[in-house]
Amino acid sequence: MSTFDTVIRLVYLGAATLFVVGLHLMNSPVTARRGNLLSATGMAAAILATLAVLIESGAANLTAWLVVAAGTAVGAGVGLVMARRVRMTAMPELVSLFNAAGGGAAALVAVHDFLHFTESPGAHILIPLALDVLIGAVTFSGSLIASGKLHGVVPGQPIVFPGARVLTLALAAVMLVTTVMIAAGVGGLAAVVILGLAALAFGVTMVLPIGGADMPVVISLLNAFTGTAVAMAGFVIGNDVLITAGALVGASGAILTKLMADAMNRSIGNIMLGGFGTGDSTGTAAGTGGGQVRTVSADDAAIQLAYASKVVIVPGYGLAAAQAQHQVHELASLLEARGVEVSYAIHPVAGRMPGHMNVLLAEANVPYSQLKEMDEINPEFPQVDVALVIGANDVTNPAARRPGTAISGMPILDVDKAKSVIVVKRSMGHGYAGIDNELYTDPKTGMYFADAKKALAEMTAAVKTLVG
Amino acid sequence: MSSEFVTDLTIFVLSLLVGFEVISKVPTTLHTPLMSAANSIHGIVLAGTILIAATASDLVGYVIAFVACVLAAMNVVGGYVVTDRMLEMFKPPAARKAQSVSANGSAEVTR
């Protein structure tokens, strides 16, 4: 190994170390940003080292340099503008879009490499190559569909068409056969192209039948896929840093996916089989299963809140969808100014992704110390005067404590143990589990039917006029 | 099967194990930024797309390399910037307090 090679390998090692340390620093909100900067530093070092390899080897001609420069500049520019402009509520779909880009790039690396084989390189290269094309292409199309579902371009509800299952199975069979062919060194370019196309179609048929509420789990899973595809690309072109970073992401995505699915009391297999209702419940048609529902006016709600000594706000998907994070903070500040103790109860899967609600509330300048996690806030509910539930549904349903319901065993916030409850919701529509919420028919619960943003503005106005 | 492949496989498996250990300790509140951070790390594929561009020799090769570079650069730059934007919001309580006092009473937060 020449001195130059040694230096490059050491830089790659340093970059990999920075990725690991960077992820480790994300343990705490205090060090998380530094962690991301360290990781970015490692990335910059690895890219610069790669450019140095190109210069030293002299393999790249002028055209190649122009291709690299132009491609990187265009991609970086587009990425930068999108990342700067995106609203924080739309952030999950942007992550999915970037994920698609990574998966597509990884698949292209393998395709390009395949075109340049002069002789069969052996199964230890061909197997990762086939897997890279397969996983990369599935991730590319799957992430685009997932992003489209969250963005509303693709309908959020599960899409199942006649013969969809058969088509998916047929595509899986095609992928299996072509992968084996490529690994065995037969079929040539045609096998790679067919594998790529089948995988692209598979990505679409895999994600279409899954409801919008499950998209975070799907995005996380596809994120893990991309990591694995990148690691496979590393095997193909014989590059350590791709293998290390790809494997890191593959593992992280897998863990994260499992945690998300666990918090919703779903198995990953269950989600991927799809067809289990939709998160964007606009079901105004859906009625209650029985029991009386009591509605409250903005004035009633305002008086209840203003004269409480302890209020817990339970934000959910509806608050994120209505982008009402600033309004909720305004109401909370007003109550705090009156001496009311206000905190926020954050369910692990509140919002559109685990932790997404924290990001949204942080954007509205809600102090981090007021955000309470489920295990921390649940014992406090019996002392809470008013629990204000905003656009959250299944995560507050007491039915989860009983066996035999669709959400049995799912961890919930013990909102029903508060002294009184106000629920802000657009309608009596169901959550993704598709069952009635017993909290809404509880005698101590008052329902306020409105869009979260409008409801909070009305309550804030009412507090101001009534109790000044 | 070459010894280089076995070395690569060793690196792969050990990296997976490190990934499981590092990630499982992160609190739920940071999961979304974490997913975004992990997302930017697989942008390392940019190193791969730069390397394949050097071996391209015909139009098809250049087009593939160009598209791959665009996608990978988008992944890296966009990923890190959006993660930083998310994490910027988790400021220490002291800085946050000062900011919320100065913004006290402002009904509209324009963004």
Side-chain angles (χ1 to χ4, degrees):
Chain A
M1 197 185 278
S2 71
T3 317
F4 179 78
D5 279 350
T6 311
V7 172
I8 295 296
R9 295 290 282 269
L10 287 178
V11 172
Y12 282 164
L13 178 62
T17 311
L18 287 176
F19 294 153
V20 174
V21 174
L23 281 178
H24 184 72
L25 287 179
M26 301 207 59
N27 277 333
S28 146
V30 184
T31 54
R33 199 171 178 203
R34 189 147 44 91
N36 192 49
L37 288 178
L38 277 186
S39 165
T41 309
M43 183 64 72
I47 300 299
L48 288 177
T50 309
L51 290 174
V53 170
L54 233 59
I55 294 169
E56 204 266 349
S57 70
N61 57 24
L62 183 63
T63 321
W65 277 110
L66 285 176
V67 164
V68 168
T72 309
V74 169
V78 171
L80 186 64
V81 170
M82 287 165 89
R84 281 265 178 83
R85 291 218 179 133
V86 67
R87 300 179 67 99
M88 275 296 127
T89 41
M91 196 264 319
E93 55 251 47
L94 188 68
V95 173
S96 186
L97 208 60
F98 290 150
N99 191 36
L108 287 177
V109 168
V111 171
H112 185 277
D113 217 52
F114 188 85
L115 291 173
H116 287 78
F117 290 144
T118 43
E119 58 190 56
S120 179
H124 67 286
I125 296 288
L126 288 171
I127 292 174
L129 187 143
L131 291 176
D132 185 2
V133 173
L134 192 165
I135 303 169
V138 168
T139 310
F140 180 74
S141 60
S143 297
L144 286 182
I145 297 291
S147 183
K149 281 205 175 214
L150 286 180
H151 202 69
V153 185
V154 179
Q157 65 264 39
I159 300 171
V160 186
F161 51 91
R165 287 277 151 80
V166 179
L167 178 63
T168 307
L169 286 176
L171 288 171
V174 171
M175 294 193 302
L176 185 67
V177 170
T178 46
T179 302
V180 172
M181 282 170 69
I182 295 168
V186 294
L189 183 61
V192 176
V193 171
I194 294 172
L195 172 61
L197 293 177
L200 283 175
F202 184 84
V204 175
T205 61
M206 181 179 87
V207 178
L208 273 184
I210 304 172
D214 285 334
M215 275 312 122
V217 182
V218 176
I219 294 173
S220 174
L221 188 68
L222 292 171
N223 194 36
F225 280 11
T226 307
T228 315
V230 169
M232 292 302 135
F235 278 105
V236 174
I237 62 171
N239 186 302
D240 292 353
V241 77
L242 258 65
I243 297 175
T244 319
L248 257 183
V249 177
S252 88
I255 289 280
L256 198 52
T257 311
K258 174 131 182 20
L259 289 175
M260 282 191 212
D262 284 353
M264 293 198 281
N265 194 30
R266 308 276 309 271
S267 73
I268 294 166
N270 207 338
I271 290 169
M272 298 317 289
L273 285 174
F276 190 62
T278 158
D280 304 272
S281 63
T282 50
T284 36
T288 60
Q292 286 296 306
V293 172
R294 185 170 62 91
T295 57
V296 291
S297 68
D299 291 352
D300 292 342
I303 288 176
Q304 251 185 300
L305 290 168
Y307 291 101
S309 61
K310 193 170 162 75
V311 169
V312 170
I313 297 172
V314 183
Y317 182 83
L319 180 125
Q323 308 194 354
Q325 64 269 31
H326 296 296
Q327 281 72 17
V328 76
H329 178 50
E330 196 196 344
L331 177 62
S333 307
L334 195 62
L335 295 175
E336 280 188 306
R338 289 184 48 83
V340 182
E341 187 192 336
V342 180
S343 51
Y344 297 80
I346 314 289
H347 190 273
V349 292
R352 296 187 137 181
M353 281 190 183
H356 188 205
M357 191 54 69
N358 301 66
V359 173
L360 293 178
L361 294 175
E363 188 200 16
N365 283 325
V366 173
Y368 189 75
S369 56
Q370 284 187 4
L371 308 181
K372 303 279 179 69
E373 289 194 29
M374 183 171 62
D375 296 338
E376 191 185 350
I377 195 82
N378 267 349
E380 292 181 25
F381 270 111
Q383 286 88 49
V384 171
D385 297 304
V386 184
L388 179 60
V389 180
I390 306 165
N393 192 346
D394 294 326
V395 298
T396 62
N397 193 344
R401 294 195 201 106
R402 282 201 320 267
T405 67
I407 56 169
S408 292
M410 182 172 92
I412 58 162
L413 290 163
D414 295 334
V415 175
D416 59 324
K417 291 184 180 156
K419 289 172 195 157
S420 69
V421 182
I422 299 172
V423 178
V424 174
K425 213 170 167 305
R426 284 188 303 177
S427 68
M428 285 299 287
H430 293 151
Y432 79 84
I435 59 170
D436 290 326
N437 191 337
E438 293 167 14
L439 180 71
Y440 301 166
T441 48
D442 192 308
K444 67 187 174 196
T445 301
M447 301 292 292
Y448 189 93
F449 293 111
D451 170 79
K453 203 173 202 164
K454 185 166 156 281
L456 288 165
E458 284 169 0
M459 283 183 195
T460 307
V463 171
K464 279 180 184 160
T465 48
L466 288 174
V467 291
Chain B
M1 197 170 283
S2 65
S3 71
E4 195 189 339
F5 173 72
V6 177
T7 312
D8 284 352
L9 195 63
T10 311
I11 293 172
F12 178 69
V13 172
L14 291 179
S15 301
L16 277 179
L17 295 175
V18 170
F20 283 130
E21 263 320 293
V22 165
I23 303 311
S24 53
K25 288 174 191 152
V26 177
T28 328
T29 48
L30 283 173
H31 276 169
T32 293
L34 169 73
M35 151 141 30
S36 188
N39 181 52
S40 23
I41 290 175
H42 65 53
I44 189 68
V45 71
L46 180 59
T49 66
I50 290 173
L51 288 173
I52 62 162
T55 60
S57 52
D58 53 3
L59 185 63
V60 177
Y62 288 129
V63 170
I64 291 179
F66 177 77
V67 176
C69 280
V70 170
L71 292 175
M74 200 171 121
N75 188 175
V76 171
V77 176
Y80 278 110
V81 172
V82 84
T83 311
D84 191 59
R85 264 191 69 191
M86 280 181 233
L87 293 173
E88 195 188 6
M89 294 164 191
F90 293 97
K91 290 180 192 120
R96 183 156 289 282
K97 204 171 218 172
Q99 192 178 357
S100 73
V101 167
S102 70
N104 199 19
S106 69
E108 282 291 314
V109 183
T110 47
R111 204 174 275 262

